[in-house]
Amino acid sequence: MKTLKIITSLLLLFSMQTLFAQFGQNGYGQGGYSGNQMGAQSRPETVKEHPIEETVKKIVAKLKIQLMLDELQVIAISNLITENMKKQNAVMKKEASNDDKTSELKAISEKTDLDIMIILNKSQKATYKLLSEDAKNQQEANRRVR
């Protein structure tokens, strides 16, 4: 459960990072909105997004070691996390209130946690719960610092 929460937290973090990277400072790119003054051409911003597959590989590599996953579990969990990230990205792009987005992201994460738990054996489930709890505690600590 903890691992799923960790995964969810990481996915949310990466999603938020991508969102902020796209809009830059003040929501108008670097330096704020200055308009197109005196016919000056604006330079297009290049935003480098991390591919979902790259992020999933990093997450699953850590889980593989921590949970001692077999190859079938690695494939199944990779697919679940990939789907989770795609859903989270879609939610982040929606025009909805932050509360709505937060509750929807939480529901997606909880569903993914449950799906991952089905794939794990008994000892892996215990470890996953601990990892998820640690991630939750770390996320709360980070919120307090801000």
Side-chain angles (χ1 to χ4, degrees):
M1 190 70 173
K2 280 187 176 183
T3 305
L4 185 55
K5 289 183 181 179
I6 290 172
I7 293 169
T8 303
S9 299
L10 290 173
L11 294 175
L12 180 60
L13 177 66
F14 288 124
S15 298
M16 294 296 291
Q17 182 180 11
T18 302
L19 182 64
F20 289 127
Q22 289 177 353
F23 293 107
Q25 299 173 355
N26 300 325
Y28 296 105
Q30 293 185 354
Y33 181 72
S34 61
N36 193 1
Q37 299 171 350
M38 303 289 277
Q41 295 179 351
S42 60
R43 287 179 268 148
E45 298 269 335
T46 56
V47 176
K48 183 178 178 184
E49 291 187 30
H50 296 285
I52 290 175
E53 294 78 17
E54 183 180 311
T55 305
V56 170
K57 282 181 185 180
K58 289 178 183 178
I59 293 168
V60 174
K62 289 180 183 178
L63 290 177
K64 183 177 181 178
I65 294 167
Q66 294 170 327
L67 300 174
M68 295 181 281
L69 300 173
D70 62 35
E71 288 306 311
L72 186 58
Q73 289 174 316
V74 168
I75 293 167
I77 290 173
S78 294
N79 291 337
L80 289 172
I81 294 172
T82 299
E83 188 63 30
N84 176 298
M85 290 185 74
K86 288 178 181 178
K87 288 178 182 177
Q88 286 186 350
N89 285 341
V91 169
M92 294 305 294
K93 292 177 183 176
K94 278 186 182 179
E95 294 208 16
S97 71
N98 285 339
D99 290 339
D100 290 344
K101 287 181 183 179
T102 301
S103 63
E104 204 169 334
L105 290 171
K106 184 177 178 183
I108 292 168
S109 296
E110 289 173 358
K111 167 107 173 61
T112 303
D113 278 340
L114 292 173
D115 291 342
I116 289 175
M117 290 294 278
I118 292 169
I119 296 168
L120 302 176
N121 64 36
K122 189 175 182 177
S123 65
Q124 289 171 326
K125 287 179 183 180
T127 305
Y128 186 76
K129 287 179 183 178
L130 291 173
L131 291 171
S132 295
E133 190 62 35
D134 287 344
K136 182 180 177 183
N137 291 338
Q138 183 178 3
Q139 191 177 32
E140 288 176 13
N142 288 340
R143 283 188 203 145
R144 285 186 220 136
V145 171
R146 293 179 191 169

